[in-house]
Coordinates of all heavy atoms in Angstrom, one line a residue:
A129 N -5.4 9.8 3.6 CA -5.8 8.5 4.3 C -7.3 8.4 4.3 O -8.0 9.4 4.5 CB -5.3 8.5 5.7
T130 N -7.9 7.2 4.2 CA -9.3 7.0 4.2 C -9.8 6.6 5.6 O -10.9 6.6 6.0 CB -9.8 6.0 3.2 OG1 -8.9 4.9 3.3 CG2 -9.9 6.5 1.8
D131 N -8.8 6.1 6.5 CA -9.2 5.7 7.8 C -7.9 5.7 8.7 O -6.8 6.1 8.3 CB -9.8 4.3 7.9 CG -8.9 3.2 7.2 OD1 -7.7 3.4 7.2 OD2 -9.4 2.2 6.7
H132 N -8.1 5.4 10.0 CA -7.0 5.4 11.0 C -5.8 4.6 10.6 O -4.7 4.9 10.7 CB -7.5 5.1 12.4 CG -8.4 6.1 12.9 ND1 -8.0 7.4 13.1 CD2 -9.7 6.1 13.3 CE1 -9.0 8.2 13.6 NE2 -10.0 7.4 13.7
E133 N -6.2 3.4 10.1 CA -5.1 2.5 9.7 C -4.2 3.0 8.6 O -3.0 3.0 8.6 CB -5.8 1.2 9.2 CG -4.8 0.0 9.2 CD -5.6 -1.3 8.6 OE1 -6.8 -1.5 9.0 OE2 -5.0 -2.0 7.8
E134 N -4.9 3.7 7.6 CA -4.1 4.2 6.5 C -3.3 5.5 7.0 O -2.2 5.7 6.5 CB -5.1 4.6 5.3 CG -4.2 4.9 4.1 CD -5.1 5.1 2.8 OE1 -6.3 5.0 2.9 OE2 -4.5 5.4 1.8
L135 N -3.9 6.2 7.9 CA -3.2 7.4 8.5 C -1.9 6.9 9.2 O -0.9 7.5 9.1 CB -4.1 8.1 9.4 CG -3.7 9.5 9.8 CD1 -3.5 10.4 8.6 CD2 -4.7 10.2 10.7
A136 N -2.0 5.8 9.9 CA -0.9 5.2 10.6 C 0.2 4.8 9.5 O 1.4 5.0 9.7 CB -1.3 4.0 11.4
D137 N -0.3 4.3 8.4 CA 0.7 3.9 7.3 C 1.3 5.2 6.8 O 2.5 5.1 6.4 CB -0.1 3.1 6.3 CG 0.9 2.5 5.3 OD1 1.7 1.7 5.8 OD2 0.9 2.8 4.1
C138 N 0.6 6.3 6.7 CA 1.2 7.5 6.2 C 2.3 8.0 7.2 O 3.4 8.4 6.8 CB 0.1 8.7 6.2 SG -1.1 8.5 4.8
E139 N 2.0 7.8 8.5 CA 3.0 8.2 9.5 C 4.3 7.3 9.3 O 5.4 7.8 9.5 CB 2.5 8.0 10.9 CG 1.5 9.1 11.3 CD 2.1 10.5 11.4 OE1 3.2 10.6 11.9 OE2 1.6 11.5 10.8
A140 N 4.1 6.0 9.1 CA 5.2 5.1 8.9 C 6.0 5.6 7.7 O 7.3 5.6 7.7 CB 4.7 3.7 8.7
Q141 N 5.3 5.9 6.6 CA 6.0 6.4 5.4 C 6.8 7.7 5.7 O 8.0 7.8 5.3 CB 5.0 6.6 4.3 CG 5.6 7.1 3.0 CD 4.6 7.2 1.8 OE1 3.4 7.0 2.0 NE2 5.1 7.6 0.7
L142 N 6.1 8.6 6.4 CA 6.8 9.9 6.7 C 8.1 9.7 7.5 O 9.1 10.3 7.2 CB 5.8 10.7 7.6 CG 6.3 12.1 8.1 CD1 6.3 13.1 7.0 CD2 5.4 12.6 9.2
A143 N 8.0 8.8 8.5 CA 9.2 8.5 9.3 C 10.4 8.0 8.5 O 11.5 8.6 8.6 CB 8.8 7.5 10.4
V144 N 10.1 7.1 7.6 CA 11.3 6.5 6.8 C 11.7 7.5 5.8 O 13.0 7.7 5.6 CB 10.8 5.2 6.2 CG1 12.0 4.6 5.3 CG2 10.4 4.2 7.2
M145 N 10.8 8.3 5.2 CA 11.2 9.3 4.2 C 12.1 10.4 4.9 O 13.1 10.9 4.3 CB 10.0 9.9 3.5 CG 9.4 8.9 2.5 SD 8.1 9.6 1.5 CE 9.1 10.7 0.5
R146 N 11.7 10.8 6.1 CA 12.4 11.9 6.8 C 13.8 11.4 7.1 O 14.8 12.1 7.0 CB 11.7 12.3 8.1 CG 10.6 13.3 7.7 CD 10.1 14.0 9.0 NE 9.2 15.0 8.6 CZ 8.2 15.5 9.4 NH1 8.0 14.9 10.6 NH2 7.4 16.4 9.1
E147 N 13.9 10.1 7.7 CA 15.2 9.6 8.0 C 16.1 9.6 6.7 O 17.3 9.7 6.8 CB 15.1 8.1 8.5 CG 14.8 8.0 9.9 CD 14.6 6.6 10.3 OE1 15.2 5.7 9.7 OE2 13.8 6.3 11.3
D148 N 15.5 9.3 5.6 CA 16.3 9.2 4.3 C 16.5 10.6 3.6 O 17.0 10.7 2.5 CB 15.6 8.2 3.4 CG 15.8 6.8 3.9 OD1 16.7 6.6 4.7 OD2 15.0 5.9 3.5
G149 N 16.0 11.7 4.3 CA 16.2 13.0 3.7 C 15.4 13.3 2.5 O 15.8 14.1 1.6
L150 N 14.2 12.6 2.3 CA 13.4 12.8 1.1 C 12.3 13.8 1.3 O 11.8 13.9 2.5 CB 12.8 11.4 0.6 CG 13.9 10.4 0.3 CD1 13.2 9.0 0.0 CD2 14.8 10.8 -0.8
P151 N 11.9 14.5 0.3 CA 10.9 15.6 0.5 C 9.5 15.1 0.7 O 8.8 14.5 -0.1 CB 11.0 16.4 -0.9 CG 11.5 15.3 -1.9 CD 12.3 14.4 -1.1
V152 N 9.0 15.4 1.9 CA 7.6 15.0 2.3 C 7.2 15.9 3.5 O 8.1 16.3 4.3 CB 7.6 13.5 2.7 CG1 8.5 13.2 3.9 CG2 6.2 13.0 3.0
E153 N 5.9 16.1 3.6 CA 5.4 16.9 4.8 C 4.1 16.2 5.3 O 3.4 15.7 4.5 CB 5.1 18.3 4.4 CG 6.3 19.2 4.0 CD 5.9 20.4 3.2 OE1 4.7 20.9 3.4 OE2 6.8 20.9 2.4
R154 N 3.9 16.3 6.6 CA 2.6 15.9 7.1 C 1.5 16.9 6.5 O 1.8 18.0 6.4 CB 2.6 15.9 8.6 CG 1.5 15.2 9.2 CD 1.6 15.2 10.8 NE 2.4 14.1 11.3 CZ 3.5 14.3 12.0 NH1 3.9 15.5 12.3 NH2 4.2 13.3 12.4
Y155 N 0.3 16.4 6.2 CA -0.7 17.3 5.6 C -2.0 17.1 6.3 O -2.5 16.0 6.6 CB -0.9 16.9 4.1 CG -1.9 17.8 3.4 CD1 -1.5 19.1 3.0 CD2 -3.2 17.5 3.3 CE1 -2.4 20.0 2.4 CE2 -4.2 18.3 2.7 CZ -3.7 19.6 2.3 OH -4.7 20.4 1.7
E156 N -2.6 18.3 6.6 CA -4.0 18.3 7.0 C -4.7 19.5 6.3 O -4.3 20.6 6.4 CB -4.1 18.5 8.6 CG -5.4 18.4 9.1 CD -5.5 18.2 10.6 OE1 -4.4 18.0 11.2 OE2 -6.6 18.1 11.1
G157 N -5.8 19.2 5.6 CA -6.5 20.2 4.9 C -7.9 19.8 4.6 O -8.4 18.7 5.1
W158 N -8.7 20.5 3.9 CA -10.1 20.2 3.6 C -10.2 18.9 2.9 O -11.3 18.2 2.9 CB -10.8 21.4 2.9 CG -10.4 21.6 1.5 CD1 -9.3 22.3 1.1 CD2 -10.9 21.0 0.3 NE1 -9.2 22.2 -0.3 CE2 -10.2 21.4 -0.8 CE3 -12.0 20.1 0.1 CZ2 -10.4 21.0 -2.1 CZ3 -12.3 19.7 -1.2 CH2 -11.5 20.1 -2.3
E159 N -9.2 18.5 2.2 CA -9.2 17.2 1.4 C -9.1 16.0 2.4 O -9.5 14.9 2.1 CB -8.1 17.0 0.4 CG -8.0 18.1 -0.6 CD -7.1 19.3 -0.2 OE1 -6.9 19.4 1.0 OE2 -6.6 20.0 -1.0
G160 N -8.6 16.2 3.6 CA -8.4 15.2 4.6 C -7.0 15.2 5.2 O -6.3 16.2 5.1
R161 N -6.5 14.1 5.8 CA -5.2 14.1 6.4 C -4.3 13.0 5.7 O -4.8 12.0 5.3 CB -5.4 13.7 7.9 CG -6.1 14.8 8.7 CD -6.4 14.3 10.1 NE -5.2 14.1 10.9 CZ -5.2 13.5 12.0 NH1 -6.3 13.0 12.5 NH2 -4.1 13.4 12.7
G162 N -3.1 13.3 5.7 CA -2.1 12.4 5.1 C -0.8 13.0 4.9 O -0.2 13.6 5.8
L163 N -0.3 12.9 3.6 CA 1.1 13.4 3.3 C 1.1 14.3 2.1 O 0.3 14.1 1.2 CB 2.0 12.2 3.0 CG 2.2 11.2 4.2 CD1 3.1 10.1 3.7 CD2 2.8 11.9 5.4
L164 N 2.0 15.3 2.1 CA 2.2 16.2 0.9 C 3.6 15.9 0.4 O 4.6 15.9 1.1 CB 2.0 17.6 1.3 CG 2.6 18.7 0.4 CD1 1.9 18.7 -1.0 CD2 2.6 20.1 1.0
F165 N 3.7 15.6 -0.9 CA 5.0 15.4 -1.6 C 5.2 16.7 -2.4 O 4.7 16.8 -3.6 CB 4.9 14.1 -2.4 CG 4.5 12.9 -1.6 CD1 3.2 12.5 -1.6 CD2 5.5 12.3 -0.9 CE1 2.8 11.4 -0.8 CE2 5.1 11.2 -0.1 CZ 3.8 10.8 -0.1
P166 N 6.0 17.6 -1.9 CA 6.0 18.9 -2.5 C 6.8 19.0 -3.9 O 6.5 19.9 -4.7 CB 6.8 19.8 -1.5 CG 7.6 18.8 -0.7 CD 6.8 17.6 -0.7
R167 N 7.6 18.0 -4.2 CA 8.4 18.0 -5.4 C 7.7 17.3 -6.6 O 8.1 17.3 -7.7 CB 9.8 17.3 -5.2 CG 10.6 18.0 -4.1 CD 11.4 19.2 -4.7 NE 12.3 18.9 -5.8 CZ 13.5 18.4 -5.6 NH1 14.0 18.2 -4.4 NH2 14.3 18.1 -6.6
D168 N 6.6 16.5 -6.3 CA 5.8 15.8 -7.3 C 5.1 16.9 -8.2 O 5.1 18.0 -7.9 CB 4.7 14.9 -6.7 CG 5.3 13.6 -6.2 OD1 6.5 13.4 -6.3 OD2 4.5 12.9 -5.6
G169 N 4.6 16.4 -9.3 CA 3.9 17.3 -10.3 C 2.7 16.6 -10.9 O 2.4 15.5 -10.6
S170 N 2.1 17.3 -11.9 CA 1.1 16.7 -12.7 C 1.3 17.2 -14.1 O 2.0 18.2 -14.3 CB -0.3 17.1 -12.2 OG -0.4 18.5 -12.2
F171 N 0.8 16.4 -15.1 CA 1.0 16.9 -16.5 C -0.2 16.4 -17.4 O -1.1 15.7 -16.9 CB 2.3 16.4 -17.0 CG 2.4 14.9 -17.3 CD1 3.4 14.5 -18.2 CD2 1.6 13.9 -16.8 CE1 3.6 13.1 -18.6 CE2 1.8 12.6 -17.1 CZ 2.7 12.2 -18.0
Q172 N -0.1 17.0 -18.6 CA -1.1 16.6 -19.6 C -0.4 15.5 -20.4 O 0.5 15.8 -21.3 CB -1.4 17.8 -20.5 CG -2.7 18.0 -21.1 CD -3.1 16.9 -22.1 OE1 -2.6 15.8 -22.2 NE2 -4.1 17.2 -22.9
P173 N -0.6 14.2 -20.1 CA 0.2 13.2 -20.7 C 0.2 13.0 -22.2 O 1.2 12.8 -22.8 CB -0.3 11.9 -20.0 CG -1.7 12.2 -19.6 CD -1.7 13.7 -19.3
L174 N -1.0 13.2 -22.8 CA -1.1 13.1 -24.2 C -0.4 14.3 -24.9 O 0.4 14.1 -25.9 CB -2.6 13.1 -24.7 CG -2.8 12.8 -26.1 CD1 -2.2 11.4 -26.6 CD2 -4.3 12.8 -26.4
L175 N -0.5 15.4 -24.4 CA 0.2 16.6 -24.9 C 1.7 16.4 -24.9 O 2.4 16.6 -25.9 CB -0.2 17.9 -24.2 CG 0.5 19.2 -24.6 CD1 0.1 19.5 -26.1 CD2 0.1 20.3 -23.7
R176 N 2.2 15.9 -23.8 CA 3.7 15.6 -23.7 C 4.1 14.6 -24.8 O 5.1 14.8 -25.4 CB 4.0 15.1 -22.3 CG 5.5 14.6 -22.3 CD 6.0 14.4 -20.9 NE 7.1 13.4 -20.9 CZ 8.4 13.8 -21.0 NH1 8.7 15.0 -21.2 NH2 9.3 12.8 -21.0
C177 N 3.3 13.5 -24.9 CA 3.7 12.5 -26.0 C 3.8 13.2 -27.3 O 4.8 13.0 -28.1 CB 2.7 11.4 -26.0 SG 2.8 10.3 -24.6
R178 N 2.8 13.9 -27.7 CA 2.7 14.6 -29.0 C 3.9 15.5 -29.1 O 4.5 15.6 -30.2 CB 1.4 15.3 -29.2 CG 0.2 14.3 -29.1 CD -0.4 13.9 -30.4 NE -1.2 12.7 -30.3 CZ -2.5 12.7 -30.1 NH1 -3.2 13.8 -30.1 NH2 -3.2 11.6 -30.1
Q179 N 4.2 16.3 -28.1 CA 5.3 17.3 -28.2 C 6.7 16.5 -28.3 O 7.5 16.9 -29.1 CB 5.3 18.2 -26.9 CG 4.2 19.2 -26.9 CD 4.2 20.1 -25.8 OE1 4.9 19.9 -24.8 NE2 3.5 21.2 -25.9
L180 N 6.8 15.4 -27.6 CA 8.1 14.7 -27.7 C 8.2 14.1 -29.1 O 9.3 14.1 -29.7 CB 8.2 13.5 -26.7 CG 8.4 13.9 -25.2 CD1 8.5 12.7 -24.3 CD2 9.7 14.8 -25.1
A181 N 7.1 13.6 -29.7 CA 7.2 13.1 -31.0 C 7.6 14.1 -32.1 O 8.4 13.9 -32.9 CB 5.8 12.4 -31.4
V182 N 7.0 15.3 -31.9 CA 7.3 16.4 -32.8 C 8.8 16.8 -32.7 O 9.5 17.0 -33.7 CB 6.4 17.6 -32.6 CG1 6.9 18.9 -33.3 CG2 5.0 17.3 -33.0
Q183 N 9.3 16.8 -31.5 CA 10.7 17.1 -31.2 C 11.6 16.1 -31.9 O 12.6 16.4 -32.5 CB 11.0 17.2 -29.8 CG 10.4 18.4 -29.0 CD 10.6 18.3 -27.5 OE1 11.4 17.5 -27.0 NE2 9.9 19.1 -26.8
A184 N 11.3 14.8 -31.7 CA 12.1 13.7 -32.3 C 12.1 13.7 -33.8 O 13.2 13.5 -34.4 CB 11.5 12.3 -31.8

Side-chain angles (χ1 to χ4, degrees):
T130 44
D131 55 26
H132 290 300
E133 198 184 318
E134 192 172 1
L135 196 56
D137 192 60
C138 288
E139 286 294 316
Q141 182 177 357
L142 178 75
V144 178
M145 287 188 68
R146 278 195 173 153
E147 274 176 31
D148 289 339
L150 300 176
V152 62
E153 293 164 25
R154 195 175 276 121
Y155 181 81
E156 183 161 358
W158 69 272
E159 302 92 338
R161 294 170 68 191
L163 300 176
L164 163 65
F165 304 94
R167 301 275 301 276
D168 282 354
S170 58
F171 75 156
Q172 212 295 19
L174 186 59
L175 179 63
R176 171 168 157 87
C177 286
R178 302 258 162 94
Q179 289 185 339
L180 286 182
V182 168
Q183 291 172 12

